[in-house]
Amino acid sequence: MTAATISGVIPLPYRVAGRREDTADTVTLELDRDGEGLPEFGPGQFAMLTAYGIGEVPISVSGSRGTRLIHTIRAVGAVTRALCATRSGDVIGVRGPFGTRWDVGAAAGHDVLVVAGGIGLAPLRPVVECLLADRRAYGHVAVLIGARRPGELLYPGDLRRWAAHVRVDVIVDRAEPGWRGRVGLVTGLIPAAGVDAGRAVAYVCGPEVMMRATARALVDRGVQAERVWLSLERAMRCGAGWCGHCQLGPLLICRDGPVVGYPVAEPLLTVREL
């Protein structure tokens, strides 16, 4: 049995090859596999990461480099705290890839809006890298980022690099000493993004209240609902649509999502997770 065939069932051991502390509670891990690795992950897909002896959680891929997987993890529970505490050389389990992808290629020839709230920038990071890798294929590109505080902004080096090629605007809920940027909600950045709403494709990820408000604001400004894509999150356990823990209306988010179109997501965003 090859690694590819067991990738959805049995975690493969990956070694922590790189670790960067992004914020006080968020870490980016680079993971290498000795031997045959998992199939290639697409933008928007996720892996089930195992902290051996503690548990398993779904984490979106925030990048890749060859066969190396990159995941950005916020410590919010026992498993994610254990994953964030790993050091270079430690081994964690990985299953995947799971879920639907951001269809970046479908935006070719269009203006593009990437709108992220908080750690929602992590699954959108591969989208921006795909846009930059074939920059001439797209029209005007704007990356709009919201965070609670300046100290919680992810990937400041990436933001500077991206800003050389596309528009990057940042806003925070609460300023801190020395902050000279904008304060408010990420939806406040949309009017000045510079995209032609009638020919724009939007990719949105963040807290559900933020995605609900952002998608509504985009549609109100003339972006076609069918061109607005969101990433939904629920309590995913198996990753393959077997256990039903992530059911949301007619969808099993681990299988039918997390990336879905706004016409599908809109009626579901009012359903509170149990």
Side-chain angles (χ1 to χ4, degrees):
M1 185 177 292
T2 67
T5 58
I6 64 175
S7 62
V9 181
I10 302 173
L12 295 182
Y14 273 67
R15 193 171 301 280
V16 177
R19 180 183 185 278
R20 182 185 68 234
E21 293 186 3
D22 295 298
T23 71
D25 63 358
T26 304
V27 166
T28 293
L29 299 180
E30 298 195 13
L31 307 175
D32 272 346
R33 161 82 175 155
D34 294 330
E36 184 181 0
L38 295 173
E40 182 180 1
F41 283 66
Q45 290 190 299
F46 68 94
M48 298 299 297
L49 301 185
T50 297
Y52 289 112
I54 300 177
E56 188 181 53
V57 289
I59 302 291
S60 295
V61 64
S62 61
S64 62
R65 188 174 301 122
T67 59
R68 178 172 289 191
L69 295 175
I70 303 174
H71 293 279
T72 300
I73 306 165
R74 174 164 289 168
V76 294
V79 181
T80 50
R81 281 196 293 272
L83 292 170
C84 287
T86 55
R87 301 291 172 182
S88 292
D90 289 349
V91 174
I92 67 175
V94 184
R95 292 193 292 132
F98 296 117
T100 53
R101 305 176 178 210
W102 302 107
D103 188 0
V104 184
H110 295 271
D111 287 359
V112 182
L113 270 167
V114 178
V115 189
I119 199 166
L121 182 57
L124 286 170
R125 183 172 179 243
V127 172
V128 180
E129 296 295 350
C130 285
L131 295 170
L132 295 184
D134 195 10
R135 181 65 191 88
R136 293 183 178 179
Y138 306 93
H140 180 74
V141 176
V143 181
L144 311 181
I145 300 165
R148 287 181 298 185
R149 301 181 297 106
E152 296 184 13
L153 281 169
L154 295 175
Y155 318 131
D158 285 344
L159 303 190
R160 289 189 290 272
R161 176 169 55 85
W162 296 347
H165 306 281
V166 300
R167 181 179 185 124
V168 177
D169 290 337
V170 175
I171 196 167
V172 299
D173 293 347
R174 297 190 302 275
E176 293 175 337
W179 175 253
R180 294 182 173 83
R182 295 192 60 177
V183 178
L185 302 178
V186 72
T187 49
L189 300 175
I190 294 173
V195 300
D196 179 348
R199 62 188 297 261
V201 175
Y203 305 101
V204 183
C205 189
E208 285 195 359
V209 64
M210 167 265 177
M211 290 197 293
R212 201 162 45 234
T214 299
R216 187 71 259 164
L218 292 171
V219 171
D220 287 347
R221 293 192 66 84
V223 180
Q224 294 181 28
E226 292 77 12
R227 292 180 180 168
V228 178
W229 296 90
L230 313 177
S231 182
L232 301 178
E233 184 176 355
R234 282 298 184 272
M236 293 181 278
R237 300 283 179 82
C238 69
W242 300 330
C243 72
H245 277 89
C246 62
Q247 182 171 3
L248 180 61
L251 306 182
L252 293 171
I253 298 301
C254 72
R255 183 194 65 191
D256 305 318
V259 176
V260 299
Y262 182 53
V264 173
E266 182 183 19
L268 304 177
L269 288 173
T270 60
V271 179
R272 185 184 297 274
E273 186 171 9
L274 298 177

